[in-house]
Amino acid sequence: MIFLKDKYNVLCLFLYLISLLSFYFFDISKEHKVILYIIVFGVNFVMYVILYLRNREIEFGKDDVKWVLFAAIVLKLVLIMHEPVTSDDYYRYLWDGKVQSEGTDPFLYSPLELAEIHDEVIYPNVSFPEIKTIYPPVSQIIFYAGYLISPHSTAGLKIIYLIFDIGIMLFLLDCLKKLHLRSSAIILYAFSPLIILEFFLNAHIDIVLIFFLSGCIYFTINKNIPLSLLFLGLSILSKTYSLMFLPILLLYLYRSEISLIRILKNILFFFLPFSIVYIYRDGIMNIFQVMGNYMTHWYSNNLIYKIILFLSELTGFNDHAVTRKILLILSVISYFIIIFSKFEFVKKITFILIFYFLFTHTVHPWYLCVLVMLLPLYLSYTSFYWTGIIALTNLTVFYYLSTGVWEDVFQVMLIEYIGVMIFIFIDFKKIAKDRLLTQNEIII
């Protein structure tokens, strides 16, 4: 057993634990809890980097893996009883669970329209109560289950999340073995402060998407086409943007010398999860209206969006719709360039996501958690940097709670996006160098 014999590993985990417990120690205002979040994140990210650097050249044995999983689970359990700090999305989750417990389809009515079940705990805190839910059917099932376990807190949801989290780590460990990568790379997911704080403190639902996507990758690597397609379908029903992975998967299967007929025979497994939609058949179509509203009006933390909007103002347009269309065009171009590249399967998914987030109009910290899941399988410097620096964007939340005005901190965006662009360049330069070395080895 190597992991626990290293005193620095033990010290890092101890400091990590103490910093997480600090959320319970300080009786401070809500906005100052946001500052505490940023400090805790920063301390934990340093511990996270140290843990990875000290163990990256080591191949863990079974006992080491067990202790890493145990330590990761303990760190996440610490936060289960604490209420979220930097986001109030959980009130919508609890509301959707409450609506279903009353036997009502959450897609049919906005919270405002369901006056008969308004309460004094959840409803007053639901953001945009005039808008119907945007969360797809699999997420709704999780909300319902979480509400039944714990109706007025996120504890129920977090218990379910922990089960998904363990599943993700097990999927990744097997993928590392199949790809002949060191098992110690699991540290990049297991101890990520973004994962721990956004799922087990702030209770965001994206862990469900990540579980099914990790399962899709696992079954793809193991050549299990039916389950690979099944898990991708479930991923889409957790967060709809997962649909962009379908062409990647199909192209990978086709290029893996799997016959087109065999792929088509198994495509039923992709559509099988969509039978869940029948449960919400009365109101499910309303989700597209809400998504349209999100695509048209929402904006947060994207410097490229700001730059294009500024340039449009100089030309006299000042049109948010035009800015969004330009971003969409850039996103589509980058998507097709990457999908038809010679990148490996996991690398394609990584860069598809990086450029998707680069050109989308809204980038919240928890969105980037999916990049953390991919880090053990492919260490992208861009993903590593972005999933660390993103914590600073919570200064926007701090100023919002202090002043009531939601306005991105430009200096933070500048640091964030300049760094991202630099690391994208470094990533591609490294890929080109590795490819050149491989070609030279073949020649020799």
Side-chain angles (χ1 to χ4, degrees):
M1 186 167 58
I2 302 167
F3 184 70
L4 287 184
K5 285 185 177 179
D6 188 323
K7 62 182 180 181
Y8 292 102
N9 286 345
V10 176
L11 178 61
C12 284
L13 291 175
F14 177 73
L15 292 175
Y16 211 133
L17 178 64
I18 295 299
S19 66
L20 293 178
L21 287 170
S22 68
F23 283 108
Y24 297 96
F25 295 158
F26 296 100
D27 184 17
I28 52 180
S29 63
K30 195 170 182 180
E31 58 265 33
H32 287 105
K33 271 278 175 100
V34 176
I35 298 298
L36 178 62
Y37 172 102
I38 296 171
I39 294 169
V40 169
F41 190 106
V43 170
N44 289 345
F45 195 79
V46 172
M47 299 303 108
Y48 170 65
V49 172
I50 293 172
L51 283 167
Y52 173 67
L53 292 178
R54 289 195 66 81
N55 296 279
R56 62 178 173 172
E57 300 298 331
I58 300 171
E59 177 59 41
F60 283 161
K62 288 184 179 179
D63 287 339
D64 293 303
V65 169
K66 288 177 183 177
W67 278 110
V68 167
L69 296 182
F70 175 76
I73 291 168
V74 169
L75 292 176
K76 291 156 187 175
L77 278 170
V78 165
L79 296 174
I80 278 183
M81 299 309 296
H82 198 287
E83 65 177 13
V85 169
T86 65
S87 172
D88 60 4
D89 285 2
Y90 69 101
Y91 283 114
R92 173 66 77 158
Y93 303 168
L94 293 174
W95 175 261
D96 284 358
K98 177 183 175 69
V99 170
Q100 291 176 85
S101 72
E102 298 289 337
T104 302
D105 184 339
F107 294 102
L108 276 175
Y109 307 102
S110 69
L112 190 64
E113 294 173 304
L114 292 171
E116 65 275 15
I117 61 169
H118 286 181
D119 58 11
E120 296 179 357
V121 179
I122 302 172
Y123 174 75
N125 295 293
V126 174
S127 296
F128 308 104
E130 71 283 1
I131 296 176
K132 297 181 178 70
T133 189
I134 196 173
Y135 299 101
V138 168
S139 294
Q140 292 296 337
I141 292 170
I142 302 301
F143 297 156
Y144 181 44
Y147 182 84
L148 291 179
I149 297 170
S150 179
H152 296 116
S153 79
T154 56
L157 284 170
K158 291 176 183 178
I159 290 168
I160 297 170
Y161 291 175
L162 189 60
I163 296 169
F164 282 117
D165 183 70
I166 294 169
I168 292 166
M169 290 191 285
L170 294 177
F171 279 142
L172 288 175
L173 282 166
D174 194 81
C175 288
L176 289 168
K177 184 178 179 181
K178 289 290 189 301
L179 295 171
H180 306 292
L181 299 171
R182 291 187 180 89
S183 57
S184 57
I186 192 63
I187 285 173
L188 290 168
Y189 175 85
F191 299 128
S192 166
L194 191 64
I195 295 293
I196 293 174
L197 294 176
E198 288 304 327
F199 294 151
F200 298 96
L201 179 66
N202 287 336
H204 283 291
I205 191 65
D206 298 60
I207 194 168
V208 181
L209 148 76
I210 293 173
F211 170 77
F212 288 118
L213 182 58
S214 66
C216 173
I217 294 170
Y218 165 78
F219 289 116
T220 301
I221 291 172
N222 284 279
K223 307 298 182 185
N224 190 328
I225 301 172
L227 288 181
S228 174
L229 289 165
L230 179 75
F231 268 66
L232 182 58
L234 289 165
S235 178
I236 293 165
L237 289 172
S238 305
K239 281 253 176 160
T240 51
Y241 76 79
S242 289
L243 183 61
M244 66 183 175
F245 303 128
L246 180 60
I248 303 173
L249 177 59
L250 294 177
L251 187 62
Y252 172 80
L253 294 175
Y254 181 72
R255 286 181 172 177
S256 301
E257 298 182 354
I258 297 171
S259 68
L260 187 60
I261 293 173
R262 186 183 170 194
I263 294 171
L264 292 174
K265 280 182 179 178
N266 286 291
I267 203 71
L268 174 65
F269 288 91
F270 172 75
F271 290 106
L272 190 60
F274 289 85
S275 59
I276 298 171
V277 173
Y278 184 76
I279 301 171
Y280 303 98
R281 61 191 179 279
D282 293 334
I284 189 66
M285 297 306 292
N286 287 329
I287 196 173
F288 296 105
Q289 179 185 351
V290 183
M291 285 181 179
N293 180 284
Y294 171 78
M295 295 295 291
T296 306
H297 299 294
W298 255 248
Y299 159 76
S300 181
N301 183 40
N302 191 309
L303 184 62
I304 296 175
Y305 181 97
K306 282 278 193 183
I307 291 170
I308 295 173
L309 186 62
F310 174 73
L311 293 175
S312 71
E313 289 173 353
L314 291 179
T315 57
F317 283 105
N318 192 22
D319 192 336
H320 285 261
V322 171
T323 301
R324 290 170 193 271
K325 287 174 183 175
I326 292 171
L327 284 175
L328 179 60
I329 291 168
L330 292 172
S331 183
V332 170
I333 291 171
S334 64
Y335 179 84
F336 281 105
I337 290 173
I338 294 167
I339 199 173
F340 290 112
S341 71
K342 294 182 180 180
F343 290 165
E344 297 88 349
F345 181 60
V346 174
K347 201 174 289 185
K348 274 189 182 180
I349 293 176
T350 298
F351 284 110
I352 287 288
L353 282 166
I354 286 172
F355 281 93
Y356 169 73
F357 293 131
L358 194 65
F359 296 129
T360 193
H361 51 82
T362 303
V363 186
H364 290 306
W366 57 94
Y367 289 10
L368 300 186
C369 287
V370 66
L371 292 176
V372 178
M373 182 271 290
L374 295 164
L375 278 173
L377 307 181
Y378 169 62
L379 181 55
S380 157
Y381 297 123
T382 309
S383 296
F384 195 85
Y385 170 80
W386 208 349
T387 56
I389 200 68
I390 194 70
L392 288 178
T393 63
N394 285 296
L395 285 172
T396 300
V397 180
F398 169 75
Y399 288 119
Y400 171 72
L401 293 173
S402 302
T403 66
V405 177
W406 185 278
E407 183 66 35
D408 290 310
V409 180
F410 182 76
Q411 294 88 335
V412 170
M413 279 200 301
L414 202 60
I415 295 168
E416 177 187 357
Y417 278 85
I418 288 175
V420 166
M421 298 306 293
I422 290 171
F423 281 107
I424 287 174
F425 174 78
I426 293 171
D427 271 336
F428 279 105
K429 188 176 179 181
K430 184 177 184 297
I431 290 168
K433 182 180 178 181
D434 291 344
R435 188 169 294 171
L436 183 62
L437 288 172
T438 303
Q439 288 172 350
N440 289 338
E441 285 174 7
I442 292 171
I443 292 169
I444 292 168

